[in-house]
Amino acid sequence: MAPYLDSVTSFADVPITDAGVDTLAFLSASEGLVGLFDLLGSTAFGVVQSDLKGNIAKVRARYDETPTLSNTLERLVENEKGEKKRKATEGLMWLLRGLQFTCKALQNAQANASEELDKAFTKSYEVTLKPFHNFLVKGVFSVAMKACPYRADFFGKLKADPAGGPPASDDHLNEGLNRWLAALDGIVTRLQTFYKAGGHDKGF
């Protein structure tokens, strides 16, 4: 087996056309991101994983119902617009926020090699999810931030081969992770701009 990031769909490999972001490839890459929290190794992040999985499921359910109208995320949202309950639109909105939280945290960690993960994730939370959370949820996330593993342990797991083979080099990991994060950042920015321009984030 390969190190974790080599074994899941990269956001860098998600097709983007004039019609939008490919729905199934995006969901596959998002599921790969959810697995990162297993590497963090703390049950405190269970609420984050559960939220991400639940929102992925809402988008996938809509795709399964109307696949020809949902081949891109933009088409999926547009075609749900006239309905009373826009479950997939709301689910994708929250999924994007959760992905942005994780992306910014890891970008913080990549930008500052001496920064521990609890600080990287806390700084990300302040500017991504916190403005949308109530007092109780903020408390849950505060506990999760404090439960982050040591930086060296997490990156060691990212480099490791689960089958027992040699670990990936630092250069290989950094190249793959930076490419993965840059693509994720671009997709999130694109879709959040789409939401605001179309008023798709209203009514929730």
Side-chain angles (χ1 to χ4, degrees):
M1 293 178 67
Y4 185 75
L5 289 180
D6 292 344
S7 68
V8 297
T9 301
S10 171
F11 285 100
D13 295 327
V14 174
I16 301 174
T17 65
D18 291 342
V21 178
D22 185 272
T23 300
L24 289 182
F26 171 82
L27 292 176
S28 178
S30 297
E31 288 166 344
L33 180 141
V34 171
L36 276 179
F37 288 97
D38 290 329
L39 299 183
L40 287 170
S42 172
T43 55
F45 278 102
V47 64
V48 183
Q49 280 187 303
S50 178
D51 186 62
L52 290 168
K53 288 178 180 177
N55 289 318
I56 288 171
K58 289 176 183 177
V59 178
R60 189 176 293 281
R62 178 67 181 187
Y63 177 88
D64 290 342
E65 289 172 9
T66 58
T68 58
L69 299 176
S70 307
N71 60 316
T72 69
L73 295 171
E74 288 89 340
R75 288 196 71 201
L76 181 151
V77 170
E78 288 285 2
N79 282 287
E80 195 182 43
K81 192 170 185 178
E83 299 182 13
K84 189 172 182 180
K85 290 185 177 180
R86 296 178 292 142
K87 290 183 179 180
T89 301
E90 183 180 15
L92 178 58
M93 179 183 72
W94 278 104
L95 176 58
L96 291 170
R97 290 170 180 172
L99 295 176
Q100 185 183 42
F101 159 67
T102 311
C103 181
K104 295 296 183 189
L106 293 175
Q107 285 178 326
N108 290 340
Q110 285 293 89
N112 187 347
S114 64
E115 185 171 72
E116 284 295 339
L117 293 185
D118 60 335
K119 291 184 173 59
F121 273 85
T122 297
K123 287 197 299 187
S124 175
Y125 180 68
E126 293 287 331
V127 298
T128 56
L129 288 175
K130 187 175 181 179
F132 304 104
H133 283 169
N134 61 34
F135 179 77
L136 289 176
V137 178
K138 288 175 184 175
V140 171
F141 271 77
S142 178
V143 171
M145 302 306 122
K146 293 174 183 175
C148 281
Y150 287 115
R151 177 191 182 95
D153 293 340
F154 173 67
F155 280 94
K157 289 179 180 178
L158 272 184
K159 290 190 291 185
D161 180 351
S169 67
D170 287 341
D171 286 345
H172 179 80
L173 173 63
N174 287 327
E175 180 182 350
L177 182 56
N178 288 337
R179 181 170 172 263
W180 191 79
L181 291 172
L184 171 56
D185 196 17
I187 290 172
V188 168
T189 299
R190 174 193 176 104
L191 288 168
Q192 288 184 333
T193 300
F194 165 76
Y195 262 73
K196 289 179 182 177
H200 303 299
D201 55 345
K202 306 298 182 184
F204 301 115

